[in-house]
Amino acid sequence: MHKIIFVAPLLGIVGLIIMFVQSAWVTKQDQGDDNMKELAKHISDGAMAFLKAEWKVMSYFVIIAGILLTWSGTLVETSSPIIGVSFLIGAFLSALAGYIGMNIATKSNVRTTQAARTSLKQALKVSFTGGTVMGLGVAGLAVLGLGALFIVFYQMYVVQTGGDVNGLAMEKALEVLAGFSLGAESIALFARVGGGIYTKAADVGADLVGKVEAGIPEDDVRNPATIADNVGDNVGDVAGMGADLFGSYVATILATMILGREIVSLDDFGGIAPILLPMVIAGLGLVFSVIGFMFVKVKDDKGDVQMALNLGNWSSIAITGVASFILCKYMLADTMNIRGIEFGPMDVFYAILVGLVVGTLMSIVTEYYTAMGKKPVNSIVQQSSTGHATNIIGGLSVGMQSTVIPILILAAGIYLSHMFAGLYGVAIAAAGMMATTAMQLAIDAFGPIADNAGGIAEMSGLPDEVRERTDTLDAVGNTTAATGKGFAIASAALTALALFAAFVGISGIDAIDIYKADVLSGLFVGAMIPFIFSALCIAAVGRAAMAMVHEVRRQFKEIPGIMEYKAKPEYDKCVAISTQASIKEMIMPGLIALITPIIVGFAFGPEVLGGLLAGVTVSGVLMGIFQSNAGGAWDNAKKSFEKGVMIDGKMEYKGSEAHKASVTGDTVGDPFKDTSGPSMNILIKLMSIVSLVIAPHLPGVSSSHGAAHSDSHAQETTENA
């Protein structure tokens, strides 16, 4: 076994060590006065209570699914019962990634508030360092977990197969790793959907009664739902997002490894360089993200926070590009072949560059459609002047329009990466895009930390200058959250295509023929699934928000003295409503994603299942972009009024009729951007992974197909030698 195989897990350990150092620094920072500490404790306790309740439900699913996978691994010659163990490890690490993010976010928020009493520079340092802890935790666990399990399983099967290093041993190792990815994505879906329902139920309830009916500020201590709202920022945008990106990261690397196994390669690593390359890039991307962290700083209160974050992001991407060139030249053979397409190391490098460019462009375009001061958001601001209905129309049109350029970028990326290195090129493009996940997550996680910091500042009655600093960070955080979702959906599309290609290879079908009525039917059903999935998520938010509204109204009515600061609201009642609703409502969307491929695959066969995957991928990508961007644009249109906007020659501010219309738009957009929209990327990947795992068991798929494929691959490599 070549020593380069140990690079990824070792770099994962390095990332986790740096994470602990960063976490210790954040923990040492000042938490402020006793009132701030008490509010932060309410938020932390609520977040952990939700996490425990969610884990309890998910543990039942994980145990049952693990047993079923273990049993299914005994049914087919090419499968293995160890896939159940791999699934459990993936689920555990995904949940752990979410916990790491939640834990540091609930520590960083109050410390960011206290730092904002000093300067914007210090507030950015604390909030972003909290984000880096999450980024390093997620990427470190993914690289370490996947790399270590690959080494263990590969060596185990090499011994079992009598030294078949590049045949059946490799196939079995990668199939078992598919269980790891399935576990990670399953937890990610429940965490993202459950967290999204929680945060938006609390947010919508707090907004409708607090801001619109009672006319009090968003994070006013008198609002009974304000603690639940701040808890929601952590369970949805931090824990949910952490598990989400962990699953994406793992699925992207695995899809590239599976396709890399199909490549006929005469390299210095026993023909497995294309399999090892995505893991090595991911490990080095972790280090390059740490380098990028150093660029994220501002000099004073007038510093450009968005530019500081962009500088850190672009620098880590640039270094990854340079390193990829060196790796491709060092690791890959001069000539490789996959499914009849020949290519060389430079072609793979160009495909990686395409992925990096696609990721960067997707972030830039998303920023344009969702950032304050840009034309799309300004158009919604202007339409708010004529009422609530025109604000809604404006937001919907911006969201729909925002799909055009990203889809063209994505289509060009798929075409170019495939032109350079076939389907492996598409997969390695996604792996290149995801290499700097630690940086992407750090940028993403800093937003909810800043949002919480602003809430604590408001509830603590701190000076206006403190809230101004946290608002500056929060406004940038809204944009980075939107760009992060654009980045995630782009990587998901490329990863889903790679997983789809791997599924086609394992199931042994030649093509997806839409001239066949059953395949075309599968295509239509697949295209429908993101719509019903979104409907369930949005309806769940609506039902939970109604319960929250009734509770907040009850407290205002039945607890005298709340509005005069003479009585404390019952925050725990609102936290309980969000927790119970999210746990209950997350089950049905999750089951749709997990069970649909199984029903279609076993009832109609692999080709119809392929049609289903094609439909859900295309429809899901479009729905994800539309919903995330519409919600982000609505949110920043509302925030524009807080700074003041010019409408028809007159300055309009918070509290005006136009602002109230923008609050309605933001309320509609909340479940779009934080519940159903970001869940789309998990949906399309999870359905592809489920299909990949069940492929050897489907009717019409020969149990010896994989073994035959392995023999063919090994023979071709030997002949070339």
Side-chain angles (χ1 to χ4, degrees):
M1 182 181 288
H2 198 283
K3 58 187 177 183
I4 199 169
I5 203 169
F6 297 100
V7 168
L10 286 175
L11 290 176
I13 292 171
V14 170
L16 292 175
I17 291 171
I18 298 172
M19 177 200 77
F20 284 118
V21 173
Q22 298 281 70
S23 180
W25 181 86
V26 171
T27 305
K28 288 177 183 176
Q29 303 308 301
D30 187 8
Q31 297 183 65
D33 57 40
D34 290 341
N35 187 35
M36 291 166 63
K37 291 177 185 176
E38 183 185 349
L39 290 167
K41 188 175 186 304
H42 280 306
I43 295 169
S44 177
D45 290 348
M48 291 306 166
F50 166 79
L51 213 54
K52 287 177 183 175
E54 186 179 50
W55 281 351
K56 184 178 180 181
V57 173
M58 289 194 297
S59 63
Y60 296 135
F61 160 75
V62 167
I63 291 169
I64 293 169
I67 292 170
L68 290 173
L69 281 170
T70 302
W71 171 71
S72 70
T74 64
L75 302 179
V76 181
E77 183 185 345
T78 55
S79 191
S80 167
I82 299 176
I83 193 171
V85 177
S86 180
F87 171 84
L88 292 173
I89 295 172
F92 170 75
L93 291 182
S94 182
L96 180 59
Y99 170 78
I100 288 172
M102 177 92 85
N103 186 47
I104 192 62
T106 53
K107 289 179 178 177
S108 303
N109 53 14
V110 69
R111 291 166 172 84
T112 300
T113 307
Q114 180 64 14
R117 300 175 84 165
T118 308
S119 65
L120 179 67
K121 176 182 178 181
Q122 190 64 17
L124 173 62
K125 185 177 181 181
V126 175
S127 58
F128 184 72
T129 303
T132 66
V133 171
M134 181 180 179
L136 291 169
V138 168
L141 285 174
V143 173
L144 174 61
L146 196 61
L149 285 179
F150 174 72
I151 293 169
V152 171
F153 294 145
Y154 180 49
Q155 278 296 95
M156 182 180 70
Y157 287 121
V158 166
V159 173
Q160 280 189 12
T161 56
D164 184 10
V165 294
N166 203 17
L168 192 58
M170 181 62 71
E171 179 180 351
K172 277 181 167 288
L174 291 176
E175 184 181 329
V176 168
L177 284 179
F180 180 83
S181 182
L182 178 60
E185 287 288 0
S186 299
I187 295 300
L189 183 69
F190 287 117
R192 182 55 115 169
V193 172
I197 293 168
Y198 184 112
T199 182
K200 291 305 107 181
D203 196 2
V204 171
D207 283 357
L208 287 179
V209 184
K211 287 198 293 190
V212 177
E213 294 182 11
I216 58 178
E218 182 171 354
D219 292 304
D220 197 297
V221 72
R222 294 170 292 179
N223 192 332
T226 191
I227 293 293
D229 188 7
N230 281 279
V231 170
D233 292 333
N234 292 289
V235 301
D237 295 339
V238 179
M241 180 177 61
D244 179 355
L245 266 291
F246 179 88
S248 296
Y249 201 38
V250 168
T252 302
I253 299 169
L254 178 66
T256 314
M257 292 171 72
I258 291 173
L259 286 172
R261 195 191 141 272
E262 293 189 30
I263 294 176
V264 179
S265 171
L266 276 171
D267 51 61
D268 297 332
F269 303 90
I272 63 171
I275 298 172
L276 300 179
L277 182 63
M279 277 204 297
V280 176
I281 290 175
L284 289 174
L286 190 56
V287 177
F288 302 147
S289 293
V290 174
I291 296 172
F293 294 161
M294 301 174 188
F295 293 95
V296 181
K297 59 181 76 170
V298 293
K299 291 183 178 179
D300 51 40
D301 280 15
K302 294 182 180 178
D304 190 334
V305 176
Q306 183 70 62
M307 184 53 69
L309 293 170
N310 287 343
L311 187 61
N313 189 23
W314 294 335
S315 60
S316 59
I317 289 172
I319 300 170
T320 301
V322 173
S324 297
F325 172 79
I326 298 169
L327 278 176
C328 290
K329 295 290 284 184
Y330 168 64
M331 291 182 66
L332 299 178
D334 292 335
T335 304
M336 292 165 282
N337 184 297
I338 182 171
R339 301 187 186 183
I341 298 175
E342 286 197 359
F343 54 94
M346 288 306 295
D347 294 311
V348 175
F349 168 66
Y350 294 144
I352 293 171
L353 277 189
V354 167
L356 292 172
V357 170
V358 166
T360 304
L361 289 178
M362 289 290 281
S363 295
I364 291 171
V365 172
T366 307
E367 181 182 333
Y368 169 74
Y369 277 103
T370 58
M372 289 171 62
K374 303 292 185 184
K375 186 178 177 181
V377 170
N378 284 343
S379 71
I380 299 174
V381 169
Q382 297 300 318
Q383 289 179 79
S384 300
S385 65
T386 51
H388 302 251
T390 47
N391 172 280
I392 299 297
I393 292 168
L396 288 172
S397 63
V398 164
M400 291 177 184
Q401 185 183 337
S402 72
T403 62
V404 177
I405 299 175
I407 289 296
L408 293 176
I409 292 170
L410 202 51
I414 292 170
Y415 179 81
L416 290 172
S417 57
H418 187 276
M419 182 180 73
F420 288 125
L423 288 167
Y424 183 76
V426 177
I428 201 71
M433 190 191 304
M434 293 295 290
T436 57
T437 289
M439 171 57 82
Q440 301 298 330
L441 258 176
I443 293 172
D444 224 352
F446 121 93
I449 291 171
D451 193 0
N452 261 206
I456 292 171
E458 182 76 48
M459 288 185 282
S460 302
L462 297 182
D464 289 344
E465 63 182 25
V466 177
R467 186 70 208 235
E468 285 172 12
R469 288 168 184 151
T470 59
D471 279 351
T472 298
L473 296 177
D474 186 23
V476 174
N478 279 335
T479 303
T480 58
T483 57
K485 286 159 190 165
F487 173 87
I489 198 69
S491 67
L494 296 179
T495 303
L497 184 58
L499 289 167
F500 181 71
F503 163 77
V504 169
I506 290 176
S507 61
I509 54 179
D510 297 322
I512 309 296
D513 187 357
I514 62 170
Y515 279 106
K516 296 179 180 176
D518 54 355
V519 177
L520 186 60
S521 299
L523 184 71
F524 274 100
V525 171
M528 169 272 295
I529 287 174
F531 285 86
I532 186 61
F533 185 94
S534 297
L536 288 170
C537 291
I538 293 169
V541 171
R543 284 190 293 270
M546 284 173 64
M548 187 69 71
V549 166
H550 291 317
E551 175 60 24
V552 175
R553 284 175 177 166
R554 181 195 70 78
Q555 292 196 32
F556 277 137
K557 183 179 179 181
E558 296 180 8
I559 304 176
I562 287 182
M563 293 301 287
E564 294 78 28
Y565 299 98
K566 293 177 181 177
K568 274 192 175 183
E570 296 173 340
Y571 299 124
D572 57 327
K573 297 279 180 67
C574 293
V575 170
I577 286 173
S578 268
T579 301
Q580 292 161 9
S582 58
I583 299 300
K584 176 185 173 185
E585 300 280 5
M586 73 179 185
I587 294 172
M588 185 54 72
L591 289 178
I592 286 176
L594 288 163
I595 293 176
T596 304
I598 296 172
I599 294 173
V600 171
F602 283 99
F604 301 102
E607 192 174 353
V608 176
L609 178 54
L612 180 91
L613 295 179
V616 77
T617 300
V618 173
S619 175
V621 169
L622 283 163
M623 284 288 283
I625 295 171
F626 157 61
Q627 292 184 85
S628 295
N629 289 349
W634 265 318
D635 194 355
N636 272 338
K638 178 202 71 175
K639 277 190 165 49
S640 299
F641 284 93
E642 294 167 8
K643 292 181 177 291
V645 291
M646 182 70 71
I647 300 179
D648 296 330
K650 178 186 173 185
M651 288 298 292
E652 297 277 3
Y653 293 96
K654 197 172 180 178
S656 65
E657 289 302 314
H659 173 251
K660 289 178 181 177
S662 74
V663 170
T664 300
D666 177 44
T667 305
V668 173
D670 274 339
F672 273 39
K673 70 180 176 67
D674 290 323
T675 308
S676 55
S679 298
M680 288 296 107
N681 63 314
I682 311 175
L683 173 71
I684 62 178
K685 286 189 279 83
L686 182 57
M687 290 185 67
S688 295
I689 292 168
V690 171
S691 302
L692 190 64
V693 169
I694 66 172
H697 306 273
L698 294 178
V701 177
S702 170
S703 63
S704 60
H705 173 74
H709 179 85
S710 299
D711 295 341
S712 171
H713 182 276
Q715 183 182 351
E716 195 168 352
T717 306
T718 306
E719 288 172 356
N720 283 350

